[in-house]
Amino acid sequence: MLYQTSLRHLSPHRRAKDEKLSFAVKLLCRAAGIFTHIAQVVIPELGKGVGDPRPPELREDVANALAKLALADAHALSVRKLLTRSAVEAALSPGPPLPQGHPAPALVAKIHLHTASLFASARGLTDTSQRKLSLLKSRGGADNAEVSQDIRRYLEEESALNEALAHKWLGVDAGEADRTGDAVGYLKWAKSELESLKDGALSKFKKSGGDGKMKKERSAEEIESVGMFLKNYSRTNDSVHFQPVPNSSSLQATIPAGMSVVAEKTYEAPMSAFGPGTPDYIARHVQKLDLDDSNTPPESEPKEDDRDYGLKGSYF
């Protein structure tokens, strides 16, 4: 009874939280569309401009990377929203079995896999931009600004984190299907990745104090969650199923493809208030053409020949 009362009490709060998450996802999808528009339309119109200094966001590779970053963050929030449906139940009873109403772990894993691929693609594009910039500098080109190390570190760590979480939920999915050997293998893999991420072993970039602390806390929470599932499935496998535990290399071949759940919103540039292409501009030019046509003197009709000659008017 107390449990049901607490759920009813938290329901409005959870609903408000879901609405905020949905709004944030929409904004990120719009941002992704704007960055794609900049990369595909605005930057080509500006011209190559190889010799002109430009901020990073006005380079095509970086603009495309920012589009993927925004879309990846939208997917990350989508997973968070998906998991809030069973957040209360999971907090009261952590670990297996999953509470009723919990989203399918395979679905959560696939979204994390797609999110990780988006972050990795964005990171690859920023690396490509940096290589082009280094080559340009070596040839005496313009001194363009580099991509922020904070963004590059964020892309690197979020890609690694989402891969680890995908392995976690693939392990949970296997455990719920009584494939406890695979479950233990996936969860050990996820735990190892999360511990490396917590220790900062995966990052090539120096962390800022606040950001590093938040990342460690988040990794620690996930390590604790993975540990609960791992302990339970290991005990079940050692006492009931006795299945072999595959290593990460063997499990790599069983990882499914990622799944996209949101898409970027195509950006449509607003119509200019003045200048070529606007309705007023077109109307004025049409009116001017009409006036020019009305001022043009009509062509004179040929005068009838009033001379007399033989067989006049008798035409065959």
Side-chain angles (χ1 to χ4, degrees), residues 32-276:
I34 291 172
F35 282 124
T36 299
H37 179 80
I38 292 172
Q40 296 180 356
V41 178
V42 176
I43 294 177
E45 287 181 356
L46 291 176
K48 296 295 182 181
V50 177
D52 300 330
R54 284 188 181 182
E57 59 271 19
L58 285 183
R59 297 201 294 270
E60 186 175 350
D61 292 332
V62 180
N64 280 319
L66 291 174
K68 290 185 179 296
L69 186 156
L71 195 57
D73 280 335
H75 277 82
L77 287 182
S78 297
V79 174
R80 181 177 171 183
K81 179 185 174 184
L82 195 63
L83 293 174
T84 56
R85 299 175 184 176
S86 58
V88 177
E89 297 91 330
L92 293 174
S93 180
L98 294 177
Q100 187 176 7
H102 192 284
L107 173 63
V108 179
K110 289 178 180 180
I111 299 174
H112 275 301
L113 286 169
H114 186 71
T115 306
S117 69
L118 288 171
F119 278 122
S121 296
R123 179 191 169 192
L125 287 168
T126 57
D127 290 343
T128 300
S129 178
Q130 290 301 110
R131 286 194 295 270
K132 289 181 180 179
L133 186 60
S134 299
L135 181 61
L136 185 62
K137 285 183 178 180
S138 67
R139 294 177 178 177
D143 188 14
N144 288 279
E146 295 185 356
V147 179
S148 167
Q149 282 199 0
D150 290 336
I151 291 180
R152 296 171 68 192
R153 183 183 65 248
Y154 178 77
L155 294 172
E156 180 185 40
E157 292 183 344
E158 287 299 314
S159 175
L161 176 62
N162 278 277
E163 279 191 15
L165 294 178
H167 298 154
K168 167 193 171 181
W169 289 108
L170 287 172
V172 174
D173 181 60
E176 293 295 299
D178 290 333
R179 293 185 288 109
T180 50
D182 289 347
V184 172
Y186 270 121
L187 290 168
K188 283 184 176 180
W189 189 6
K191 186 177 180 181
S192 174
E193 291 174 316
L194 289 168
E195 287 174 346
S196 297
L197 189 61
K198 179 185 175 183
D199 298 336
L202 297 178
S203 180
K204 300 181 294 184
F205 308 103
K206 184 179 179 181
K207 290 183 174 64
S208 58
D211 182 66
K213 183 179 179 181
M214 289 177 61
K215 188 68 66 177
K216 284 185 177 181
E217 290 176 354
R218 185 179 177 188
S219 299
E221 291 175 0
E222 291 296 343
I223 290 172
E224 183 180 357
S225 174
V226 168
M228 290 182 181
F229 285 105
L230 179 59
K231 181 180 178 180
N232 186 284
Y233 292 139
S234 294
R235 183 171 60 247
T236 303
N237 190 56
D238 293 341
S239 59
V240 179
H241 298 295
F242 305 103
Q243 297 173 359
V245 177
N247 56 28
S248 58
S249 301
S250 301
L251 291 171
Q252 188 72 45
T254 65
I255 294 178
M259 178 183 292
S260 174
V261 291
V262 293
E264 69 177 44
K265 181 176 176 58
T266 303
Y267 176 75
E268 296 181 2
M271 184 174 290
S272 302
F274 57 88

Side-chain angles (χ1 to χ4, degrees), residues 293-301:
D293 291 341
S294 63
N295 293 331
T296 302
E299 294 183 2
S300 57
E301 297 181 0

